[in-house]
Amino acid sequence: MTISGKTRVCGLIGDPVEHSLSPIMHNAAFEALRLDYVFLAFKVKPACVAAAVESMRALNIRGLNVTMPHKTTVMASLDRTDLSAQIISSVNTILNKENLLLGFNTDGVGAVKALKENGVELKGRKVLLLGAGGAARAIAYAVAKEADELAVLNRTVKHAQAIAKLLEKSINKKIASGALLPSDIEQNIQDSDILINATSIGMKPRPDISPVPPKLLRSNLSVMDIVYNPLETRLIKDAKEAGAKIVNGVEMLIYQGVAAFEIWTGKSAPVDVMRKTALNHLQQKAKENEA
């Protein structure tokens, strides 16, 4: 990759950002398509979010990804946001279009695309979603538009109830909510077709734990975990042993990135390149940790 005076800049803002796979994945995609773009990660403290976003105009930055904890606060600095971002109050992608800053959320569409590309259809299905954070809100909105039923469980029940109320108002569909407890999980999973873990449970440094008791998993259930480090979480391992169809967290990471890439460049993203790059990096890191 050769950087020149014509190179267009995209990036990521958040705190922390050191762990992000986005620079590796997007730069591989730019190189594969021979696009004169570069992707950088910027650690931005909460007090500097507005200044960082405004710098897109001053520095002619083409696009930004936004990660925690800035997905909501960036919205005040944007000129426009799409409908999904407005409804869930969360932006993870910004486009600088002729000095207008436009906000999008690709988390939800990325999750739905990951499911579909791995043979999991939502139409006519019941989905059980664990978690109520920023990513969970985006996933809930995208899933609820297509699935017949959705239940949201969270440690803090009022946050799950807030998502249910928001979705019922915006898409006119009844959404169940409850606590992230074994009893509530057991009650809801029995007639669910798809389980999505959108919590951080199972992420390093505690890869040995799962939000769902193994005995509740079964072969006619599809299971997606948005955690991608480790590649195979405890939940994914347990689901495989139960004979369930599985979708790991790398798939959502890839497809939310694909959507952002296409917003910035107007080109079809090289999905296979992005997947291979992300997987190679995670596998290499896993080997280094084992050594």
Side-chain angles (χ1 to χ4, degrees), residues 118-244:
N118 284 275
V120 181
E121 288 298 327
L122 290 162
K123 189 174 182 180
R125 303 290 191 265
K126 177 180 176 180
V127 179
L128 173 58
L129 175 66
L130 309 182
R137 289 203 311 273
I139 293 169
Y141 175 72
V143 165
K145 289 194 296 181
E146 299 200 30
D148 276 18
E149 297 180 63
L150 173 65
V152 182
L153 306 182
N154 192 56
R155 285 190 185 110
T156 306
V157 178
K158 66 179 182 180
H159 294 161
Q161 292 171 336
I163 289 178
K165 186 176 181 180
L166 176 70
L167 296 180
E168 287 173 354
K169 181 179 179 181
S170 60
I171 62 177
N172 194 30
K173 188 178 288 185
K174 180 67 177 175
I175 309 295
S177 60
L180 190 59
L181 296 171
S183 57
D184 282 40
I185 294 172
E186 183 171 10
Q187 179 183 344
N188 283 277
I189 205 171
Q190 291 176 2
D191 61 345
S192 292
D193 304 290
I194 302 166
L195 168 69
I196 302 174
N197 176 39
T199 75
S200 61
I201 299 172
M203 184 184 293
K204 285 189 175 182
R206 290 296 311 277
D208 55 319
I209 60 175
S210 169
V212 181
K215 66 180 181 180
L216 300 181
L217 302 171
R218 59 184 196 276
S219 61
N220 62 343
L221 186 69
S222 295
V223 178
M224 181 165 81
D225 196 336
I226 74 167
V227 173
Y228 61 82
N229 191 9
L231 270 173
E232 279 203 348
T233 61
R234 182 75 261 165
L235 173 60
I236 290 295
K237 289 178 180 178
D238 291 342
K240 282 177 74 173
E241 289 180 12

Side-chain angles (χ1 to χ4, degrees), residues 31-289:
E31 188 169 356
L33 296 189
R34 297 184 178 181
L35 298 178
D36 193 5
Y37 280 71
V38 66
F39 190 103
L40 304 169
F42 303 102
K43 185 175 181 178
V44 174
K45 295 294 184 183
C48 300
V49 170
V53 175
E54 186 58 33
S55 73
M56 292 182 73
R57 294 187 231 263
L59 300 176
N60 196 29
I61 292 172
R62 175 62 173 173
L64 288 177
N65 273 153
V66 184
T67 190
M68 299 302 291
H70 306 325
K71 290 185 178 185
T72 298
T73 52
V74 295
M75 297 181 71
S77 303
L78 303 178
D79 296 306
R80 289 203 298 267
T81 55
D82 72 353
L83 181 60
S84 64
Q86 291 173 29
I87 290 173
I88 64 175
S89 298
S90 179
V91 162
N92 79 330
T93 301
I94 304 172
L95 170 68
N96 182 353
K97 185 177 181 180
E98 298 175 354
N99 236 26
L100 279 178
L101 303 184
L102 311 178
F104 307 85
N105 193 299
T106 68
D107 284 332
V109 296
V112 168
K113 185 73 170 175
L115 287 167
K116 291 183 176 181
E117 289 296 319
N118 284 275
V120 181
E121 288 298 327
L122 290 162
K123 189 174 182 180
R125 303 290 191 265
K126 177 180 176 180
V127 179
L128 173 58
L129 175 66
L130 309 182
R137 289 203 311 273
I139 293 169
Y141 175 72
V143 165
K145 289 194 296 181
E146 299 200 30
D148 276 18
E149 297 180 63
L150 173 65
V152 182
L153 306 182
N154 192 56
R155 285 190 185 110
T156 306
V157 178
K158 66 179 182 180
H159 294 161
Q161 292 171 336
I163 289 178
K165 186 176 181 180
L166 176 70
L167 296 180
E168 287 173 354
K169 181 179 179 181
S170 60
I171 62 177
N172 194 30
K173 188 178 288 185
K174 180 67 177 175
I175 309 295
S177 60
L180 190 59
L181 296 171
S183 57
D184 282 40
I185 294 172
E186 183 171 10
Q187 179 183 344
N188 283 277
I189 205 171
Q190 291 176 2
D191 61 345
S192 292
D193 304 290
I194 302 166
L195 168 69
I196 302 174
N197 176 39
T199 75
S200 61
I201 299 172
M203 184 184 293
K204 285 189 175 182
R206 290 296 311 277
D208 55 319
I209 60 175
S210 169
V212 181
K215 66 180 181 180
L216 300 181
L217 302 171
R218 59 184 196 276
S219 61
N220 62 343
L221 186 69
S222 295
V223 178
M224 181 165 81
D225 196 336
I226 74 167
V227 173
Y228 61 82
N229 191 9
L231 270 173
E232 279 203 348
T233 61
R234 182 75 261 165
L235 173 60
I236 290 295
K237 289 178 180 178
D238 291 342
K240 282 177 74 173
E241 289 180 12
K245 181 184 284 289
I246 61 163
V247 183
N248 65 37
V250 172
E251 292 296 299
M252 176 176 158
L253 172 73
I254 291 163
Y255 284 107
Q256 64 79 28
V258 163
F261 181 96
E262 293 177 353
I263 287 170
W264 298 327
T265 67
K267 308 286 186 182
S268 295
V271 179
D272 290 343
V273 170
M274 296 171 80
R275 178 182 288 106
K276 182 179 179 180
T277 302
L279 286 172
N280 285 348
H281 180 79
L282 288 169
Q283 289 164 354
Q284 182 61 37
K285 284 293 182 184
K287 288 179 182 178
E288 290 173 3
N289 292 333

